[in-house]
């Protein structure tokens, strides 16, 4: 069996076989989620720590639920209300978790690279999973997006060869976009980024994707359109003249939805700014698979925990 490494830090660390193994394991574990008793004994006796230095709803809740469904003991630690707000360092926090015997640490941090530091500094022995670091990466989001794309466009099997994904909006501040570009490329999809020039990162030429400034043209080619949140909290200056202009040029609204191919889907990692990057009617339309992305997130995170911590010798479909 193709193995994963010890940690999951970047979508770019996964080769095609590893990525497919996670997606296939997700599909198997999804059958557990459909049962009335949604629980496997795989991680009984293991300790999983959710270490969240930045706000989160979906990612934190779904990692917590995923670990619980695999019977792990789960502790969720938010920086707010902890000794981190008294100035405790990442190192001291990590040493505390190590003393408590964490088998896996799921970390979200405002600093790009914090999960790498945690994985490589020797402070902890367990696996580290990156749940979003600064503007850098968010690999499990890319995996749940790939799973969602595969189930809608590819019949739930194989890779994403030939699928055209258009990613729109605040690419500059988006760890979701970075991880998606890497993983989608590994899985054979074609990616086009669409954003105002001020929200396209420097060095994008080296990314395995194309760039366009014209949303309408790109939409006509798309099998899926992934709208990104305008990340106002990461914007020190002003990146576009007004929110009205932004939504006119780069927002997805009902008239634009008409440009999409018949079966194209609309995605958003959440949280959404309804009325800015996506209109409320589009977010609630039958094309949108946004709630399904959240549901898939639990199963993908179960698969990651299962493969990183418990895979050997266990059966994903066991009782
Ligand atoms: C994203 C994140 O936090 O990076 N959300 C998520 O994990 N579902 C995207 C965002 O905040 O815009």
């Amino acid at each position: 069996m193709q193995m994963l490494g010890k940690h999951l830090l970047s979508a770019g660390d996964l080769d095609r076989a590893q990525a497919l193994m996670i997606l296939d394991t997700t599909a198997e574990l999804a059958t557990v989620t459909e049962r009335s008793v949604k629980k496997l004994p795989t991680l009984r006796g293991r300790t999983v720590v959710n270490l969240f230095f930045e706000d989160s709803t979906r990612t934190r809740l779904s990692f917590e639920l995923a670990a619980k469904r695999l019977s792990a003991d789960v502790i969720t630690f938010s920086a707010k209300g902890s000794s981190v707000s008294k100035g405790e360092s990442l190192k001291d926090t990590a040493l505390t978790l190590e003393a408590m015997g964490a088998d896996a640490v799921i970390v979200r941090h405002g600093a790009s690279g914090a999960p790498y530091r945690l994985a490589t500094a020797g402070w902890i022995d367990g696996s580290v999973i990156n749940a979003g670091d600064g503007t850098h990466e968010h690999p499990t989001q890319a995996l749940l997006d790939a799973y969602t794309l595969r189930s809608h466009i590819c019949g739930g099997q194989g890779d994403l060869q030939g699928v055209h994904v258009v990613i729109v909006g605040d690419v500059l501040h988006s760890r979701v976009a970075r991880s998606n570009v890497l993983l989608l490329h590994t899985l054979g999809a074609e990616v086009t980024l669409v954003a105002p020039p001020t929200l396209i990162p420097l060095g994008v030429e080296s990314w395995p994707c194309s760039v366009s400034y014209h949303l309408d043209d790109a939409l006509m080619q798309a099998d899926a359109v992934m709208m990104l949140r305008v990340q106002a909290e990461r914007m020190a200056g002003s990146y576009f003249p007004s929110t009205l202009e932004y939504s006119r040029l780069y927002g997805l609204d009902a008239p634009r939805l008409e440009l999409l191919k018949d079966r194209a889907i609309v995605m958003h990692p959440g949280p959404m700014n309804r009325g800015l990057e996506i209109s409320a009617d589009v977010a609630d339309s039958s094309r949108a698979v946004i709630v399904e992305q959240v549901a898939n997130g639990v199963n993908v995170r179960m698969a990651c925990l299962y493969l990183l911590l418990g895979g050997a010798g266990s059966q994903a479909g066991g009782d």
Side-chain angles (χ1 to χ4, degrees), residues 41-62:
T42 319
L43 299 186
R44 198 151 46 199
R46 316 294 293 277
T47 303
V48 172
V49 180
N50 261 329
L51 183 57
F52 278 65
F53 293 90
E54 261 195 1
D55 295 343
S56 171
T57 305
R58 278 151 282 264
T59 307
R60 185 172 53 77
L61 291 177
S62 64

Side-chain angles (χ1 to χ4, degrees), residues 63-292:
F63 264 117
E64 191 169 326
L65 193 55
K68 285 184 171 158
R69 287 200 174 150
L70 294 172
S71 305
D73 295 323
V74 190
I75 311 169
T76 294
F77 173 104
S78 324
K80 277 183 201 143
S82 75
S83 292
V84 169
S85 51
K86 299 180 187 165
E88 189 163 31
S89 66
L90 182 62
K91 177 176 178 177
D92 289 324
T93 308
L95 293 175
T96 304
L97 300 180
E98 179 61 14
M100 292 179 182
D103 295 294
V105 178
I106 295 156
V107 60
R108 168 167 288 197
H109 202 287
S112 300
Y116 288 80
R117 185 84 178 115
L118 212 53
T120 55
W123 303 326
I124 52 171
D125 275 343
S127 294
V128 176
I129 301 179
N130 182 359
D133 62 329
T135 59
H136 181 230
E137 279 226 41
H138 193 354
T140 57
Q141 178 71 41
L143 284 161
L144 76 86
D145 289 336
Y147 186 83
T148 308
L149 286 162
R150 185 170 91 149
S151 63
H152 274 274
I153 301 170
C154 310
Q157 284 187 342
D159 63 13
L160 301 174
Q161 199 69 45
V163 176
H164 190 166
V165 183
V166 173
I167 302 180
V168 188
D170 186 0
V171 180
L172 181 65
H173 301 105
S174 178
R175 49 200 180 202
V176 174
R178 272 173 188 69
S179 287
N180 259 297
V181 168
L182 294 171
L183 187 70
L184 290 172
H185 174 71
T186 301
L187 290 171
E190 193 189 327
V191 182
T192 304
L193 300 175
V194 182
T198 47
L199 290 176
I200 292 286
L202 284 176
V204 77
E205 313 74 53
S206 64
W207 297 18
C209 61
S210 53
V211 176
S212 162
Y213 303 116
H214 305 290
L215 181 54
D216 291 355
D217 297 347
L219 288 180
M220 290 188 249
Q221 317 296 324
D223 296 305
V225 51
M226 191 181 290
M227 302 308 296
L228 300 173
R229 183 172 65 88
V230 173
Q231 305 208 2
E233 79 280 17
R234 297 191 205 278
M235 294 184 183
S238 94
Y239 288 82
F240 43 82
S242 71
T243 51
L244 200 66
E245 176 161 326
Y246 182 88
S247 6
R248 199 171 51 76
L249 293 175
Y250 295 100
L252 190 60
D253 57 8
R256 281 213 164 101
L257 208 57
E258 300 296 314
L259 299 172
L260 287 171
K261 294 186 206 167
D262 281 351
R263 299 180 51 139
I265 56 171
V266 174
M267 306 171 77
H268 193 303
M272 290 184 271
N273 294 307
R274 285 173 182 251
L276 181 51
E277 71 267 0
I278 189 165
S279 68
D281 48 358
V282 171
D284 298 329
S285 76
S286 58
R287 300 266 194 160
V289 296
I290 298 163
V291 178
E292 203 180 312

